[in-house]
Amino acid sequence: KLEIGAWAVDVVGNYAYLSSESLIKYSGKGSAGALLSGSLLVVDITTPSCPAVVGHACIPGKSSIIQVVGNHAYLASHVTPSVTIVDVSVPTSPKPTGFLHFAGNPTGLHVVDSPTEGKRAYVTGAHGIHIIDVNDPDNPTQIGFYDSADTSEYPRDVFVRDGIAYVPDSYGPLLIFDV
């Protein structure tokens, strides 16, 4: 049993990847205190009755959504509206590689590795749907955006298959987009 406060989880193979918060204590030069920082925890679950944290990386913000695809974890933060990419090819030593800030708090994330277009991250939030090229994990780039700010649409999540995005809306029907 691990007593870790976590916001999101994805499991790949024998590892659980958790989005969590880290309490960082500091002191010196007449001041002391603590702050919360976002973190990615890698937990070895080979023996489910004895999970063990084997890796940790500090990331900006508190991430409420995580997806692991290949050698990278993609985390969407609602505190600092952003996507952070972490190289998890060595689970004991995860390394943040890329970061992209955008407007609107993320509510959904789906990463697709397409043989024709490569890796894309689709992120939903209060302001619409962001389409992010993540082929270069060091430099994620927004390549598309559907703006829902002037409509009653509030995209809550996203799933993409065969070039079609399925997006549940808080105030209406299932939205379907050709992406």
Side-chain angles (χ1 to χ4, degrees), residues 26-88:
Y26 61 91
S27 63
K29 295 187 180 183
S31 67
L35 58 90
L36 288 174
S37 172
S39 61
L40 168 69
L41 300 177
V42 183
V43 180
D44 185 334
I45 55 172
T46 303
T47 306
S49 61
C50 188
V53 176
V54 295
H56 171 269
C58 289
I59 58 172
K62 175 171 50 178
S63 297
S64 55
I65 308 163
I66 183 171
Q67 183 181 358
V68 177
V69 176
N71 289 326
H72 293 92
Y74 302 84
L75 299 100
S77 170
H78 63 278
V79 174
T80 55
S82 61
V83 170
T84 300
I85 302 172
V86 180
D87 182 338
V88 293

Side-chain angles (χ1 to χ4, degrees), residues 69-120:
V69 176
N71 289 326
H72 293 92
Y74 302 84
L75 299 100
S77 170
H78 63 278
V79 174
T80 55
S82 61
V83 170
T84 300
I85 302 172
V86 180
D87 182 338
V88 293
S89 59
V90 180
T92 56
S93 183
K95 303 250 185 278
T97 60
F99 176 84
L100 179 66
H101 186 272
F102 50 82
N105 293 334
T107 56
L109 166 71
H110 190 114
V111 179
V112 176
D113 191 359
S114 162
T116 57
E117 297 174 348
K119 287 186 182 170
R120 300 245 170 109

